[in-house]
Amino acid sequence: MTVRIAPSILTADFANLEHELGRIATADLVHVDVMDNHFVPNLTFGQRMVESLQRVSPLPLDIHLMIDDPDRWAPGYAEAGAYSVTFHAEAVADAVSLARRLRDIGARAGIAVKPGTPIEPYLELLHEFDQVLVMTVEPGFGGQSFIESTMPKLVALRAAVAATGLDIWLQVDGGITERSIAIAAEAGADTFVAGSSVFNVGEPHMQIALLRAAASAHVH
């Protein structure tokens, strides 16, 4: 199974984002947290920022929409050239229709669930998505601690994905360190968002290598 590392620029130096993107060029994706101060109590990037990042990023953009009304706003991010657009199950009105629209535009379609949101209602809809994101912290702020009680969702997702035979990525986001990435990989994740543990400790390329090795040793 392929391990993918997606550093979150939420903890990068916003004044030097092009330089920061260059520092994580050995990763697989750039994770961009879009927050609207409504769905979550924080305000970050919008579509214009994503368009600017798209022009200078050496890696594909993995957009995570922590916003209200993604049915209205998500397609714009796909049209801006994002590789992957993930919206929240708790905020969307029609997840299947939105996922199909994102795919039609040319982006990978992802659905995210908060730590307290059950995954079971979505297991029969997996074929509609390219990625499922299991939040391992409460969405809104970086630097939180990994919530290990979310791991049974990944176990259930991995079994369900295996049954479909489809290439559906299972992503985790929140509190990812060398220790927690091994736990998440063992549970079934293959795509890992890491912010503080990449940008705030040592050289980002070295941290990416350490995280990749830790995950690779535990993926099935």
Side-chain angles (χ1 to χ4, degrees):
M1 188 184 301
T2 301
V3 167
R4 287 169 287 269
I5 306 297
S8 168
I9 59 171
L10 190 62
T11 48
D13 179 358
F14 287 3
N16 297 285
L17 279 179
E18 185 172 0
H19 172 71
E20 294 284 72
L21 290 172
R23 296 174 71 210
I24 59 169
T26 56
D28 301 283
L29 303 156
V30 176
H31 190 79
V32 183
D33 291 303
V34 175
M35 307 184 198
D36 63 359
N37 205 29
H38 293 281
F39 181 69
V40 291
N42 199 358
L43 183 66
T44 58
F45 314 102
Q47 188 175 323
R48 287 189 63 189
M49 175 66 84
V50 169
E51 290 168 355
S52 297
L53 290 170
Q54 182 70 30
R55 287 194 292 270
V56 299
S57 177
L59 298 170
L61 299 187
D62 176 40
I63 308 299
H64 178 194
L65 299 178
M66 288 174 267
I67 62 173
D68 287 337
D69 199 11
D71 306 76
R72 175 183 178 186
W73 298 109
Y77 290 88
E79 290 164 356
Y83 176 73
S84 176
V85 179
T86 297
F87 54 86
H88 265 266
E90 303 86 0
V92 71
D94 189 335
V96 170
S97 292
L98 180 54
R100 290 177 180 177
R101 188 173 175 196
L102 293 171
R103 283 173 157 181
D104 286 344
I105 294 169
R108 290 174 59 87
I111 189 166
V113 292
K114 293 181 179 181
T117 301
I119 199 62
E120 287 74 17
Y122 304 98
L123 295 180
E124 294 184 359
L125 301 174
L126 287 178
H127 59 283
E128 300 285 356
F129 306 105
D130 301 294
Q131 175 170 280
V132 181
L133 167 55
V134 174
M135 291 298 299
T136 45
V137 298
E138 290 295 336
F141 292 92
Q144 299 182 64
S145 297
F146 181 78
I147 301 174
E148 193 167 342
S149 59
T150 56
M151 292 300 96
K153 291 186 201 178
L154 280 169
V155 173
L157 279 164
R158 177 52 62 197
V161 167
T164 69
L166 298 173
D167 181 24
I168 301 168
W169 298 0
L170 299 185
Q171 186 177 67
V172 287
D173 180 0
I176 296 301
T177 63
E178 286 180 66
R179 175 187 174 275
S180 61
I181 201 171
I183 295 170
E186 184 70 34
D190 53 31
T191 306
F192 307 88
V193 177
S196 302
S197 63
V198 168
F199 284 105
N200 293 351
V201 184
E203 288 298 320
H205 67 93
M206 295 177 63
Q207 293 303 120
I208 290 166
L210 289 171
L211 290 170
R212 194 186 302 279
S216 297
H218 291 85
V219 293
H220 299 289

